[in-house]
Amino acid sequence: AQSVTQLGSHVSVSEGALVLLRCNYSSSVPPYLFWYVQYPNQGLQLLLKYTSAATLVKGINGFEAEFKKSETSFHLTKPSAHMSDAAEYFCAVSDHSAWGGGGNKLTFGTGTQLKVEL
Amino acid sequence: EAGVTQFPSHSVIEKGQTVTLRCDPISGHDNLYWYRRVMGKEIKFLLHFVKESKQDESGMPNNRFLAERTGGTYSTLKVQPAELEDSGVYFCASSQDTGTLYNEQFFGPGTRLTVL
C-alpha cells in the first residue's frame, strides 16, 4: 500500500521568502511522485512530477522538488514566494505497479494551504 | 482544447435524496477517474474507467454509489440515497493512454456536494 504524509496543513511565508512544503511517502515499489496545486474554484493542476529520471525536478512557476530515496521525501521548494503562489498544494504518489490500460491511480496527502503575506 | 468539465459545480441536497454528478473528460482520453475529498481530509480515489469499462472500483465506499460511463465518453456518479458523510468535493480526472507507465491526469474543478 502507498501513502503520503504532508507535514503542516497551513504554511505562511512572507513575499520573497523561501517556500518549503514537506512531503514524505511510503511505497512498496519505486514511486512516481507528483505535486499538484489548486487555486480557488479551479481543478488540480500538475506542478511537477518525478518518474524515476533526474532526482531534482523542476516544474512550473519556479517550483522544484527533490526526490530523496534515503529520506522517502519529495519536498517542494521555491526560492522566492509571490502573492500569486497562495493556494493549496497536494503531494501524491502513483500506483503504477498496478498499471493496466494506462491507468495509474493517485494517492494524495491531506494538502498544505500556502499563505503569502506582504 | 476544453479541459475536464464537471456539472454541477455545487449541489445541496437532503439526506435520503438522490444526486447525479457528471464529468466530461478531455476528448480522446480513454482513462477517467473519480476522486473525493471529504472536508479536511485527503483526496481519495474512488474508481477508474478505461473507455466504458470499470478498471478499478476499489475506492467506492459502498453500494449507494453507482458510476457509469456509457459509450466511453462522459461519466456519471450517482449517490442514492445520500447520507451526511457523502458531503465533500468530487473530482473527476482524465488521461490519455500513451502506452507508457505514466499518463498525466487532468483534473476538473470538482463538484461540491453538501448533504443536509
Side-chain angles (χ1 to χ4, degrees):
Chain A
Q2 299 176 305
S3 66
V4 172
T5 301
Q6 290 185 242
L7 294 176
S9 59
H10 291 80
V11 170
S12 184
V13 300
S14 299
E15 191 174 35
L18 171 72
V19 176
L20 171 61
L21 304 183
R22 299 179 186 273
C23 172
N24 288 86
Y25 70 90
S26 172
S27 177
S28 57
V29 298
Y32 286 1
L33 294 159
F34 309 85
W35 277 99
Y36 282 85
V37 61
Q38 186 182 23
Y39 299 102
N41 301 316
Q42 296 184 29
L44 280 74
Q45 179 182 2
L46 182 65
L47 265 182
L48 49 80
K49 62 184 183 288
Y50 167 77
T51 55
S52 74
T55 56
L56 181 62
V57 180
K58 294 187 185 298
I60 61 173
N61 301 336
F63 284 92
E64 62 182 39
E66 186 172 8
F67 171 68
K68 292 187 177 181
K69 183 178 178 181
S70 61
E71 298 177 8
T72 61
S73 68
F74 190 58
H75 302 329
L76 181 71
T77 60
K78 181 174 180 178
S80 177
H82 190 272
M83 295 297 288
S84 61
D85 295 326
E88 190 160 22
Y89 293 79
F90 296 91
C91 183
V93 62
S94 168
D95 183 12
H96 62 283
S97 63
W99 177 68
N104 47 327
K105 69 181 180 183
L106 298 170
T107 299
F108 286 89
T110 50
T112 298
Q113 189 73 45
L114 176 65
K115 182 178 179 181
V116 182
E117 299 174 318
L118 288 171
Chain B
E1 182 181 350
V4 177
T5 57
Q6 294 186 244
F7 182 83
S9 56
H10 292 83
S11 181
V12 180
I13 61 172
E14 295 194 350
K15 175 182 173 181
Q17 290 186 319
T18 297
V19 63
T20 300
L21 313 181
R22 173 170 169 144
C23 168
D24 285 79
I26 293 172
S27 178
H29 282 194
D30 287 340
N31 295 295
L32 188 148
Y33 304 81
W34 284 99
Y35 294 87
R36 177 176 73 171
R37 188 184 192 196
V38 172
M39 184 178 290
K41 299 197 173 181
E42 70 271 30
I43 300 169
K44 281 194 171 180
F45 167 82
L46 295 179
L47 88 159
H48 167 214
F49 283 100
V50 178
K51 297 182 181 178
E52 67 275 10
S53 300
K54 292 177 185 175
Q55 181 79 14
D56 181 355
E57 51 185 329
S58 61
M60 294 288 265
N62 52 61
N63 59 10
R64 295 185 294 102
F65 289 75
L66 175 64
E68 295 180 324
R69 192 182 182 195
T70 307
T73 54
Y74 71 92
S75 175
T76 58
L77 180 64
K78 180 189 287 188
V79 185
Q80 179 182 32
E83 298 289 345
L84 299 179
E85 64 264 26
D86 300 332
S87 296
V89 181
Y90 290 77
F91 292 101
C92 176
S94 70
S95 72
Q96 207 171 18
D97 185 355
T98 61
T100 63
L101 279 176
Y102 169 69
N103 301 293
E104 180 178 345
Q105 294 182 33
F106 295 86
F107 282 77
T111 293
R112 182 174 297 276
L113 175 63
T114 302
V115 182
L116 302 176

